[in-house]
Amino acid sequence: MRYYIRKLAFYAVALWAALTLNFFIPRLMPGNPVDTLMARLAQRGGSVDPSVRRSYELLLGTRTQEPLVDQYLSYLVNLVRGDLGISVSVYPTPAAEVIRESLPWTIVLVGIATLLSFLIGVTLGMLVGWKRGTWLDSLVPATTVLAAVPYFWLALILVAVFGSALQWFPLLGGYDVILDPGWSPEFIGSAIYHGTLPALTIVISSVGGWLLGMRNMMVSTVDEDYVLTARAKGLRERRIMTHYAARNAVLPSVAGFAISLGFVVAGSIITEQVFSYPGIGGKLLQAVQNNDYALMQGIFLVITVAVLGANLVVDLLYGLIDPRTRTGA
C-alpha cells in the first residue's frame, strides 16, 4: 500500500508542476492574445480605445495589470471549474469546445495508427528475432530507414503518389464537406477514407521502432533456460515462440506502448498540417501562431493528463506484475 501511496503522491506533484509550467511558459512568449484581437479589430475599422482593451482582457483572462500571482491563482480556480477560457484563434469559441471538437479526430487517427504500428512491429519483430540470421533480418534496416525518414517528407510522397498521381485517396480534409458530421455510415466511411493516408504515414514511420525493440528482446530471450527446457520437452517451435519467448520478450514493448498511448492526444502536428486534418495538432499550431494562451494551455493540459495517466497506469501495473518494484529490490 505504501508503494501505491508514494506513486500517487509523486504524480500529484508532477501534475501540479506541469500545470504551473503550463501557465508560465506561454506568458514568456512575446506578445499576448489581447494585442492580437486589438490588431484584428483595428484592421476592420473598430474602436481600439482602452475600454475595449479592458473588456478583452476580462474576457480572455489575461489581465496584464494584475500581479502574476493573482493571475496564476485565478487560472487554477478556473481549471477546477472546467473553464479553460476563450480561444483567440477561433474567437469567441471557448477553448474547451475547440478541444472537444478536434480531440476525437486525433484520438481515432493517431490511436488506431499507433495500435496498428505496435501490432505489426511486434509481430514482425517476433518473427525476425526467432528466425535471426535468415532473410527476415533484412526487414530491420528497411524499417529503420523508414523510421528515420522525416514525417513531412513521407507524407508529401504519399500525397503525391496516392493522392495526386493515382487519385486513390483525397488530398485534404478529414471528411467530405458535403456530409453532416454524425454517426451515419456515409460520414464514418468518408472519415475512414480521408484518414487512410495520414494513418499510413504514422504507421510506416513508427513500425520500425517496435520491430527493432521486439527483435532485440527476442534474440535475448531465445537463449534463456526456460526456452531450452521447452525445447527439451519436445514442444512445437510455434508454441515455444509464442508462449515462452515472445510472451516474455514483449513486456518492455507493452510498457512502451502504454506510455505512447498517452502521447496519442498530442497528435501529429506535421502530418495533420500536410493533410489539413482537423486534429488537435493543427489547433495547437494555430494557437501558437496567434498567441492563444487559453487554447495552448488547454491542449497542454490534456496532453499532460494523458501522459501522466498512462505512466501512472504502467507503474501501478508493474507493481502488480513484479512484486520487486514495490519493495525496491
Side-chain angles (χ1 to χ4, degrees):
M1 180 61 67
R2 187 176 301 173
Y3 168 82
Y4 297 109
I5 294 176
R6 288 202 311 267
K7 286 296 180 181
L8 292 175
F10 169 78
Y11 280 102
V13 174
L15 177 60
W16 169 79
L19 294 178
T20 302
L21 291 175
N22 193 23
F23 171 81
F24 285 104
I25 289 179
R27 284 162 174 77
L28 297 177
M29 300 173 59
N32 62 70
V34 175
D35 291 336
T36 302
L37 281 181
M38 294 294 289
R40 291 180 183 176
L41 186 63
Q43 290 175 354
R44 297 173 184 174
S47 173
V48 291
D49 58 77
S51 62
V52 175
R53 182 180 184 87
R54 179 61 177 171
S55 299
Y56 277 142
E57 289 181 346
L58 293 173
L59 178 64
L60 299 177
T62 55
R63 296 178 288 274
T64 55
Q65 304 301 322
E66 292 185 2
L68 201 59
V69 175
D70 292 342
Q71 296 182 43
Y72 174 66
L73 293 177
S74 298
Y75 159 75
L76 293 180
V77 171
N78 290 333
L79 282 184
V80 174
R81 296 174 178 171
D83 181 10
L84 301 180
I86 303 297
S87 171
V88 174
S89 307
V90 285
Y91 181 82
T93 307
E97 183 177 340
V98 176
I99 295 173
R100 185 168 56 250
E101 291 176 354
S102 57
L103 188 59
W105 291 94
T106 292
I107 291 178
V108 172
L109 172 66
V110 184
I112 293 177
T114 301
L115 178 61
L116 288 177
S117 63
F118 171 76
L119 294 176
I120 295 172
V122 165
T123 302
L124 292 177
M126 176 186 68
L127 296 175
V128 172
W130 187 255
K131 300 288 186 180
R132 66 185 187 279
T134 65
W135 65 270
L136 290 173
D137 275 336
S138 61
L139 292 175
V140 176
T143 54
T144 303
V145 169
L146 290 175
V149 173
Y151 259 38
F152 72 91
W153 191 77
L154 180 60
L156 290 174
I157 288 181
L158 293 180
V159 167
V161 175
F162 297 103
S164 181
L166 300 177
Q167 297 184 353
W168 288 356
F169 298 99
L171 298 176
L172 304 171
Y175 60 93
D176 195 334
V177 294
I178 66 174
L179 299 175
D180 294 326
W183 294 104
S184 64
E186 294 80 7
F187 178 78
I188 295 176
S190 176
I192 294 174
Y193 181 50
H194 281 73
T196 300
L197 276 186
L200 188 61
T201 302
I202 298 173
V203 170
I204 292 176
S205 300
S206 305
V207 72
W210 298 116
L211 186 152
L212 185 61
M214 184 63 179
R215 186 259 181 195
N216 292 339
M217 289 302 301
M218 281 291 292
V219 170
S220 301
T221 304
V222 293
D223 293 328
E224 294 290 338
D225 292 340
Y226 55 83
V227 175
L228 297 177
T229 302
R231 282 176 170 160
K233 290 181 178 179
L235 298 179
R236 291 178 300 176
E237 286 290 304
R238 182 176 179 180
R239 179 176 176 81
I240 298 173
M241 178 182 68
T242 57
H243 287 70
Y244 289 84
R247 189 173 181 177
N248 290 276
V250 78
L251 290 177
S253 296
V254 170
F257 174 68
I259 294 174
S260 68
L261 288 179
F263 289 95
V264 163
V265 297
S268 179
I269 297 177
I270 297 177
T271 301
E272 291 180 6
Q273 283 296 110
V274 171
F275 292 97
S276 296
Y277 195 79
I280 203 75
K283 295 299 182 184
L284 177 58
L285 181 61
Q286 185 180 1
V288 173
Q289 292 173 339
N290 290 279
N291 291 327
D292 191 344
Y293 290 171
L295 189 54
M296 277 191 288
Q297 289 173 341
I299 294 175
F300 290 150
L301 174 63
V302 172
I303 296 172
T304 299
V305 171
V307 173
L308 289 178
N311 280 272
L312 176 60
V313 169
V314 171
D315 279 348
L316 295 181
L317 287 178
Y318 261 101
L320 293 175
I321 296 172
D322 189 354
R324 293 174 299 178
T325 59
R326 299 198 298 266
T327 61

